[in-house]
Amino acid sequence: MVHLRTGEERPVAIPDVCPNCGKAIDKSQERWRCVQGRKCYALASIAYAAGRDQLDIEGLAKSRIQQMLDTGLIADLGDLFSLVHEQIIGLDRMGDSSTTKLLAAIEAAKSQPLSRVFRALGVRGTGRSMPRDTAPRRSAS
Ligand SMILES: [Zn+2]
């Protein structure tokens, strides 16, 4: 491949900080990671999991997830499922009926088929059909 070089090549700039959140990079191991670990991608991963094709949690907008992360109500997806009414209604711009609706949507997400849970967790290779094959719905037989 060396023969493909044109002389225009520039050195690859190695980032000093995490390109996603700007925090430091943990270089103690071969594979570098953001010092925040999974927290770095918490917003993106929770928003994805709550999406319509995954757990379909209606009323859980990205801004709401960010608010929950900022206030320490949740740190990961699992924390959503132990939230109670008083915690959610304590959030800014959250009313009684929207709290009740959101809790119902979170509750409903608990009975999503296992294939959607796999997808929500971002298990590699789990598109729309693979999880269905891996975790088929129980048949009546
Ligand atoms: Zn980061």
Side-chain angles (χ1 to χ4, degrees), residues 18 21 34 40:
C18 170
C21 70
C34 172
C40 179

Side-chain angles (χ1 to χ4, degrees), residues 52-72:
R52 192 153 25 124
D53 288 336
Q54 287 71 243
L55 297 179
D56 193 19
I57 304 176
E58 219 188 302
L60 193 61
K62 243 184 176 178
S63 56
R64 189 64 69 195
I65 299 168
Q66 185 64 65
Q67 197 182 26
M68 290 174 167
L69 288 166
D70 290 345
T71 54

Side-chain angles (χ1 to χ4, degrees), residues 53 102 123 133:
D53 288 336
L102 181 55
V123 178
D133 301 336

